[in-house]
Amino acid sequence: MAIDLIFEALASRPRREILAYLSKQELTAGEIAGRFAMSAPAVSRHLSILETASLVKSERRGQYVYYSLNSDNLVNTLTSFAFEICPRGRPLKRESRQLRAAKHKS
Amino acid sequence: MAIDLIFEALASRPRREILAYLSKQELTAGEIAGRFAMSAPAVSRHLSILETASLVKSERRGQYVYYSLNSDNLVNTLTSFAFEICPRGRPLKRESRQLRAAKHKS
DNA sequence: CAAATAATTAACTAATATGTTAATTGCTTA
DNA sequence: TAAGCAATTAACATATTAGTTAATTATTTG
């Protein structure tokens, strides 16, 4: 199931760090591996887990494989999960309340 | 680190199901265990992981231990993570944009 | 206080995750 | 086409996770 893959993928600090790097710019597998102490094959495995969860996508260009973020999928999953678990959650709900208030004001 | 504990705790379907149950009402350890096929000790372990991540809290009342949700912590963590990773994320960003628009209108 | 119920902790097993190095595949270019 | 670099896959070792049953702790009540 999609949500299982996503939470499994997020349950790893190096994988979350990879997402953070990719949030700034696309990077090749090698550039990503260069930012970690672990071996390239280990990073490649992390990338494949992130890709299977469809949190990132990859594209080969010549010799290199470029990775980039699938940000919509991540945000959608996390927010819908948060809403489901805590229908009266704070920060999201606060935005909604302000939004309603602002609308009524006008 | 807090975020590690939280994502680790969320990387388990039974634990996410426990959170969903607790989003409706507080429950005793036994009532929660009764909703799963696994043994009570296994559920107790899951509960302790959720509590260590401060996603739930527990309170003993006589013979029973009642569990309930710490929803603020969950929502705050997930949304701040989502913002950090995808600054231009869709659903959250849309709310913000609508909010800004509504404000400017008045 | 003894018995019964709720819950957790202990001890153990099986499965899974994560890293390593070696081998393989894909692409470029001399 | 052979050599070289990028990346992934294979094979393996180790650590962690998640479940089991048995034992223990806490609380109520006859």
Side-chain angles (χ1 to χ4, degrees):
Chain A
M1 206 158 164
I3 197 164
D4 292 296
L5 292 174
I6 288 173
F7 277 110
E8 187 55 46
L10 294 176
S12 150
R13 178 189 276 271
R15 286 195 291 269
R16 290 194 305 274
E17 285 175 5
I18 290 173
L19 294 178
Y21 284 129
L22 294 180
S23 75
K24 311 268 184 255
Q25 55 185 309
E26 68 171 13
L27 292 169
T28 68
E31 288 169 331
I32 296 167
R35 287 162 164 73
F36 289 89
M38 74 185 96
S39 67
V43 172
S44 179
R45 190 82 134 295
H46 284 305
L47 287 168
S48 114
I49 289 169
L50 287 169
E51 188 164 27
T52 299
S54 60
L55 292 175
V56 307
K57 54 183 185 300
S58 70
E59 185 194 346
R60 177 176 277 272
R61 283 182 225 146
Q63 210 171 359
Y64 300 89
V65 176
Y66 284 84
Y67 282 88
S68 58
L69 215 62
N70 257 356
S71 51
D72 285 8
N73 194 35
L74 179 87
V75 175
N76 285 335
T77 300
L78 292 188
T79 57
S80 72
F81 174 74
F83 266 123
E84 187 188 319
I85 297 299
C86 353
R88 66 194 64 206
R90 204 57 15 162
L92 288 168
K93 211 50 184 178
R94 193 177 31 138
E95 271 211 338
S96 299
R97 230 182 294 116
Q98 288 178 359
L99 177 54
R100 255 197 317 281
K103 271 181 182 163
H104 286 165
K105 214 171 181 180
S106 65
Chain B
M1 206 157 164
I3 198 164
D4 293 295
L5 291 174
I6 287 172
F7 277 110
E8 186 55 47
L10 293 176
S12 152
R13 179 189 277 271
R15 285 196 290 268
R16 290 194 305 273
E17 286 174 5
I18 289 172
L19 293 178
Y21 284 129
L22 293 181
S23 75
K24 311 266 183 263
Q25 55 185 309
E26 66 170 15
L27 293 168
T28 68
E31 288 169 332
I32 297 168
R35 287 161 163 77
F36 289 89
M38 73 185 95
S39 67
V43 171
S44 179
R45 191 78 142 288
H46 284 305
L47 287 169
S48 114
I49 289 168
L50 288 169
E51 188 165 26
T52 298
S54 61
L55 291 175
V56 307
K57 56 183 184 298
S58 69
E59 186 193 346
R60 178 175 276 273
R61 283 182 224 146
Q63 209 171 0
Y64 300 90
V65 175
Y66 284 85
Y67 282 88
S68 59
L69 214 61
N70 257 357
S71 50
D72 285 8
N73 193 36
L74 179 87
V75 175
N76 284 336
T77 300
L78 292 188
T79 56
S80 71
F81 174 74
F83 266 122
E84 186 187 318
I85 298 299
C86 353
R88 64 197 63 206
R90 205 57 16 169
L92 288 168
K93 212 51 185 179
R94 192 179 31 141
E95 272 209 339
S96 299
R97 232 183 293 116
Q98 288 177 0
L99 178 53
R100 255 198 317 282
K103 271 182 182 163
H104 287 164
K105 216 173 179 179
S106 63

